Amino acid sequence: MLRLDEVTVRFGERTVLDAVDLSVAEHETVCVLGPSGSGKSTLLRVVAGLQRADAGRVLLAGKDQSAVPTHRRGVGLMFQDHQLFPQRDVAGNVAFGLRMRGTGRAESARRVAELLELVGLPGAQRRPVGALSGGEQQRVALARALAPEPRLLMLDEPLGQLDRSLRERLVVELRALFGRLGTTVLAVTHDQGEAFALADRVVVMRDGHIAQAGTPLEVWRRPASEFVARFLGFDNVVPATVRGECAETVWGRVPVPRGTPEGACRVLVRPAGVRIASVAEGLACDVVARTFRGDHVVVRLRPADGPELEAACALASAPGVGDRVGAVFGVDEVAVLP
Amino acid sequence: MAVPLAFFGVFFAYPVASIVSRGLKDGGSWQFARIGEVITDPRIGHVLWFTTWQAAASTALTLLLALPGAYVFARFDFPGKHLLRAVVTVPFVLPTVVVGSAFLALLGRGGLLDELWGVRLDTTVWAILLAHVFFNYAVVVRTVGGLWAQLDPRQEEAARVLGAGRLAAWRRVTLPALGPAVAAAALMVFLFTFTSFGVVQILGGPRYATLEVEIYQQTAQLLDLPTAAVLTLVQFAAVAALLGVHAWTVRRREATLKLVDAARTARRPQGAAQWALLASVLAVVALLVLVPLVVLVLRSLDGPHGYDLTYYRALASAGDNGGTFVVAPLAAIGNSLAYALAATAVAVVVGGLAAAALTRREGRLVRGFDALLMLPLGTSAVTVGFGFLIALDEPPLDLRTSWILVPLAQALVGVPFVVRTMLPVLRAVDVRLREAAAVLGASPLRAWREVDLPLVGRALAVAAGFAFAVSLGEFGATVFIARPDSPTLPVAVARLLGRPGALTYGQAMALSTILMLVCAAALLVLERVRTDRTGEF
């Protein structure tokens, strides 16, 4: 459906997108994940034709779009801060794209009602957009983007400004909705939870180029680099030397998956793979912090040597700050990074 | 940007330049010695001195009286506030000629004060100063009060919580934020009073003349073009310097402040002190703004046989006014409206294009253009008018006998108002709204029509209204170029005032009243469509 061919964008000296290759298949939901300033929003703007690429091509359904102005590309874009038209009511906003395509009044009113039903705002047609809450604006913006049935729907930080519970609910709703409508979606976000929940495929970006692409499970299980691992919130990374089925680190020996090539690398131990045991059993550490996470507790451990590490443990068995414990590493939660 | 530039080139720079060169060129060579001669002439020195100090005094007096008003309008909620704000703005769009006649009716021979206490101020400088305050009260209330209303009161509250007293919080937080706006308002008032023409012409008598009045007399009565040219240059330099300072303060004001919705900052006055402040501001408004307007209306009705419509009826015929007119003065209403409409159309097109160009681009050149657009406000209107006659009467542009000349001159004064009103609104339209429209399938033109136009439409209406009001009241240039058989309202008023006799005086008052009512009506319509963000005037 969408293909980017070595797309490069420069703002003066800074290269915002550096020869990015990306493709999105029909009916697929792809989420671009990256910290702010990694070029994700620019990527969407290039596809929409709001930003000219300095090099490379954007192809939609196999056709080069470089000479096609924004309004003829037939893509939808939901802006980060919605950009609802303040002088129009909800129906006026949702129907805007339909009017641009010359859809008749009755047909357009029917579509608006249908879409508002779909996004959970039935009967909101006449409400002024200024009076809507953040979540409602969000839904109106989504309905507005969906109304002209774009061949590609792009979402810029779709759930960014919403509170946590609403966000979690909307992610589920959106995924179900896109599945039902068969929409092709390209979304960008800085929140990995959102990306993993929404996407068929995740693309992690860093400084204008793609750091890793894959299914959420692949990216989660095998981060391609220390950057990706740390961006996903995994801080237990140390330099290591693999010998056989173990890696030598400052934390002692860490088991690695079978078939890992020998030699120097880095290993990641996800917090769930750090088990708290007695000092005699594992790496001796002091507990320096304890964070309650609802269904589990994350404790921060300081070993005698090397970087601090985090362990996720059950509520009942979590040690307190100041305790001296031993850390044992489980091979299932270990990933080897280059 | 090309259209506004061309407009200003042909209809402003060219006429002004040609009249200056006509004055300073003798036999093909420049006579710069004239400049020294004129400037060192003690009479001219006196005029310069008077122009400057009366402007300074008027500005100080206006600030003194209007700043409490700005505070009251910004921070207090009281019944009739919106109506009252419209009322205090009426004087600003009133033709200077009307202001002059209103104060003449109040302070002059046979005026209200004369009848009551035998006090006459029309030959003193006080009449001029008071008329200037009357005229510019709204400038301060709108410029300073408009910003004041949008300052977040929580800033001051934050200072209070941090241990500052009420006064200290105001002095350290609010005052610095308001400073640039006060400076900008003061500069505008200074500019308007420095170039004051109609008011001084009517109230100044033989003793007091501003530069502008002097230019008029040198040009129209003494036919001393070289002196007029030098004076024009002097005024030009002074005004350019003032505008430079003004542009600087405006930029500082735009740069630094975080503003909130004005509607949320006002509340009911609380406690005796606040009610007293409100009462005193209302008293000042009543005395300064309402009384002259009311007196003007009363004078126009106070005929030889008691209160009736004698003077209004006399306006309807050409014969009853001692041959001042070849047509009935009432015809001036039709002329004025037609001219003002044409001028408004020109001003809106030129000003709108200029504002659009200023929104799209940045940089030093644009800021220079911005200041250039303000120049006609401060340039001698008399010079522009006379320049029109001299410069535009020969091919390729022979417009002297064309009716379009008057609207063009009036549009010149209207354009700055259009630009000032449109600019903040155009700048406030988020670029991404246009992008959102484009993504939804709107072509650039369609996006402009669907997104920009509805957002700026109200501002456009306001701008047009202002342009209409100032065109209606334009006097300095029109007095030169309006043909004798088709005078505008202000020109007719001035002509009537220039004749002795109770009947012509009464007719002048009647015509001024009509002019005032037309302007006030235009303004009241404006207040209804006014948006929150619109401009400084």
Side-chain angles (χ1 to χ4, degrees):
Chain A
M1 182 73 235
L2 168 71
R3 213 178 90 217
L4 272 68
D5 245 2
E6 309 242 313
V7 168
T8 300
V9 173
R10 291 186 203 90
F11 292 159
E13 291 291 287
R14 215 160 66 83
T15 303
V16 183
L17 290 181
D18 190 1
V20 170
D21 287 314
L22 177 74
S23 59
V24 182
E26 196 103 15
H27 309 308
E28 188 185 29
T29 299
V30 171
C31 228
V32 177
L33 182 60
S36 53
S38 58
K40 355 181 254 303
S41 291
T42 307
L43 185 76
L44 294 193
R45 294 175 59 82
V46 168
V47 175
L50 296 169
Q51 169 71 49
R52 214 179 51 83
D54 292 302
R57 294 191 306 162
V58 174
L59 295 105
L60 278 168
K63 294 199 182 65
D64 187 1
Q65 299 291 308
S66 53
V68 182
T70 300
H71 62 282
R72 300 228 177 83
R73 291 200 178 184
V75 297
L77 172 58
M78 200 172 116
F79 285 78
Q80 187 170 357
D81 40 10
H82 317 322
Q83 296 300 333
L84 298 178
F85 302 123
Q87 76 278 19
R88 295 174 203 282
D89 58 13
V90 168
N93 268 279
V94 177
F96 190 91
L98 297 170
R99 277 180 48 227
M100 294 304 118
R101 313 166 112 214
T103 309
R105 199 175 285 266
E107 164 67 9
S108 154
R110 195 187 57 73
R111 274 291 281 155
V112 169
E114 193 181 293
L115 281 159
L116 287 178
E117 186 86 33
L118 192 71
V119 297
L121 281 175
Q125 279 92 333
R126 294 274 80 85
R127 291 177 64 186
V129 292
L132 301 177
S133 72
E136 289 168 333
Q137 288 191 17
Q138 161 79 38
R139 288 153 187 264
V140 173
L142 178 66
R144 184 178 75 173
L146 283 172
E149 297 177 330
R151 41 187 177 163
L152 171 70
L153 176 65
M154 298 188 287
L155 313 169
D156 191 353
E157 300 279 358
L159 309 172
Q161 291 169 341
L162 306 181
D163 60 64
R164 194 187 158 92
S165 65
L166 186 58
R167 204 154 75 189
E168 283 171 1
R169 201 172 78 233
L170 270 174
V171 165
V172 178
E173 286 179 18
L174 282 181
R175 181 145 179 83
L177 185 66
F178 297 152
R180 201 157 74 238
L181 299 176
T183 321
T184 308
V185 179
L186 176 62
V188 305
T189 173
H190 67 274
D191 182 304
Q192 77 262 16
E194 203 171 297
F196 288 156
L198 203 58
D200 300 319
R201 212 148 51 79
V202 172
V203 175
V204 184
M205 279 192 73
R206 178 193 192 182
D207 298 336
H209 60 259
I210 291 173
Q212 187 174 6
T215 65
L217 194 65
E218 281 164 9
V219 174
W220 180 265
R221 290 204 60 84
R222 283 190 292 280
S225 63
E226 183 177 349
F227 166 80
V228 176
R230 288 195 188 275
F231 183 68
L232 296 180
F234 303 135
D235 283 330
N236 298 347
V237 180
V238 278
T241 311
V242 175
R243 287 208 182 82
E245 294 197 344
C246 273
E248 308 279 354
T249 73
V250 282
W251 293 335
R253 291 159 71 86
V254 176
V256 293
R258 193 171 302 213
T260 304
E262 304 223 332
C265 65
R266 287 164 178 277
V267 294
L268 156 71
V269 189
R270 278 184 285 269
V274 182
R275 188 168 57 82
I276 302 291
S278 69
V279 179
E281 281 179 80
L283 170 67
C285 297
D286 292 318
V287 176
V288 291
R290 197 181 125 118
T291 312
F292 181 57
R293 287 278 165 82
D295 54 347
H296 67 281
V297 172
V298 171
V299 291
R300 195 156 182 87
L301 307 174
R302 180 178 296 154
D305 207 4
E308 293 181 359
L309 62 160
E310 284 181 340
C313 35
L315 283 178
S317 59
V321 173
D323 288 355
R324 200 163 168 76
V325 297
V328 179
F329 305 109
V331 68
D332 286 348
E333 300 294 339
V334 172
V336 178
L337 311 174
Chain B
M1 214 152 131
V3 173
L5 271 181
F7 178 80
F8 272 82
V10 175
F11 297 115
F12 177 64
Y14 174 52
V16 172
S18 59
I19 196 161
V20 167
S21 73
R22 163 118 13 157
L24 288 182
K25 253 185 189 165
D26 193 14
S29 61
W30 291 91
Q31 304 289 315
F32 290 113
R34 281 298 300 184
I35 299 181
E37 273 171 45
V38 172
I39 290 179
T40 50
D41 181 346
R43 215 179 80 78
I44 300 298
H46 182 76
V47 168
L48 258 176
W49 167 240
F50 174 73
T51 307
T52 312
W53 87 253
Q54 66 80 24
S58 300
T59 308
L61 201 58
T62 308
L63 285 180
L64 189 72
L65 288 172
L67 279 180
Y71 174 73
V72 164
F73 277 106
R75 288 292 196 233
F76 290 164
D77 237 348
F78 51 90
K81 177 174 160 179
H82 292 284
L83 182 70
L84 199 63
R85 189 161 55 196
V87 167
V88 301
T89 316
V90 167
F92 181 67
V93 295
L94 277 192
T96 50
V97 172
V98 176
V99 177
S101 7
F103 274 79
L104 208 55
L106 181 64
L107 309 170
R109 183 155 47 90
L112 188 68
L113 291 192
D114 194 11
E115 278 178 9
L116 289 180
W117 299 299
V119 178
R120 275 186 61 191
L121 293 172
D122 64 327
T123 50
T124 70
V125 75
W126 283 104
I128 295 175
L129 294 188
L130 284 178
H132 280 163
V133 175
F134 167 83
F135 194 54
N136 291 305
Y137 189 85
V139 176
V140 176
V141 167
R142 284 206 177 267
T143 315
V144 181
L147 180 69
W148 208 332
Q150 292 178 65
L151 286 184
D152 199 333
R154 283 171 303 177
Q155 294 255 306
E156 227 176 271
E157 287 168 8
R160 298 287 306 282
V161 172
L162 290 168
R166 195 180 283 274
L167 198 66
W170 184 81
R171 199 164 57 83
R172 297 202 182 271
V173 176
T174 308
L175 192 61
L178 282 181
V182 174
L187 267 163
M188 290 309 287
V189 175
F190 191 85
L191 189 68
F192 289 142
T193 50
F194 189 82
T195 59
S196 180
F197 177 53
V199 166
V200 183
Q201 172 83 339
I202 289 172
L203 292 176
R207 283 177 59 204
Y208 298 108
T210 54
L211 261 181
E212 184 86 30
V213 172
E214 188 66 22
I215 293 172
Y216 176 72
Q217 278 165 0
Q218 295 288 352
T219 314
Q221 283 159 15
L222 307 176
L223 298 174
D224 184 355
L225 273 188
T227 304
V230 173
L231 292 180
T232 301
L233 284 181
V234 169
Q235 181 163 335
F236 207 75
V239 166
L242 281 174
L243 284 178
V245 180
H246 179 250
W248 181 68
T249 58
V250 165
R251 196 151 63 247
R252 274 193 45 198
R253 183 166 38 142
E254 277 175 356
T256 43
L257 297 173
K258 195 171 142 263
L259 301 177
V260 296
D261 184 3
R264 283 188 290 145
T265 60
R267 57 181 148 187
R268 291 239 141 189
Q270 289 162 345
Q274 295 195 346
W275 280 108
L277 179 63
L278 175 61
S280 60
V281 164
L282 293 180
V284 167
V285 168
L287 275 177
L288 200 74
V289 179
L290 294 181
V291 168
L293 294 177
V294 170
V295 167
L296 175 69
V297 176
L298 288 181
R299 286 286 135 172
S300 74
L301 295 170
D302 188 9
H305 320 292
Y307 284 93
D308 60 20
L309 294 173
T310 311
Y311 297 135
Y312 288 87
R313 273 197 286 276
L315 290 175
S317 70
D320 284 357
N321 42 59
T324 313
F325 295 101
V326 288
V327 293
L330 217 51
I333 298 175
N335 295 335
S336 266
L337 289 178
Y339 284 145
L341 279 177
T344 304
V346 175
V348 164
V349 170
V350 173
L353 286 171
L358 285 172
T359 321
R360 295 278 152 83
R361 296 172 207 198
E362 288 290 329
R364 200 177 286 272
L365 193 75
V366 165
R367 282 204 293 274
F369 184 53
D370 195 5
L372 179 80
L373 289 174
M374 296 291 283
L375 261 183
L377 271 191
T379 309
S380 160
V382 172
T383 309
V384 172
F386 200 56
F388 264 49
L389 281 190
I390 289 183
L392 304 177
D393 69 339
E394 55 203 6
L397 269 171
D398 187 2
L399 298 174
R400 191 165 49 164
T401 53
S402 165
W403 62 273
I404 193 78
L405 214 51
V406 174
L408 282 175
Q410 294 178 342
L412 217 46
V413 199
V415 167
F417 289 89
V418 175
V419 174
R420 291 287 119 200
T421 314
M422 300 288 296
L423 207 50
V425 183
L426 279 174
R427 287 206 170 125
V429 176
D430 196 327
V431 139
R432 282 169 311 165
L433 277 180
R434 274 176 226 131
E435 294 181 353
V439 171
L440 289 167
S443 63
L445 192 67
R446 189 88 195 261
W448 184 84
R449 212 182 77 204
E450 298 277 351
V451 175
D452 290 60
L453 199 58
L455 288 176
V456 304
R458 283 143 64 95
L460 201 66
V462 172
F466 265 119
F468 182 74
V470 295
S471 301
L472 212 53
E474 209 292 325
F475 176 57
T478 313
V479 71
F480 270 96
I481 51 186
R483 279 176 303 170
D485 59 342
S486 54
T488 64
L489 278 171
V491 173
V493 170
R495 264 194 230 166
L496 283 167
L497 283 177
R499 296 269 163 165
L503 180 63
T504 50
Y505 178 80
Q507 281 182 294
M509 294 299 152
L511 210 50
S512 294
T513 304
I514 293 174
L515 186 46
M516 176 189 83
L517 290 179
V518 174
C519 285
L523 196 80
L524 283 174
V525 172
L526 285 192
E527 278 293 323
R528 298 202 72 103
V529 298
R530 173 170 280 280
T531 59
D532 303 336
R533 289 185 195 265
T534 39
E536 303 161 4
F537 292 106

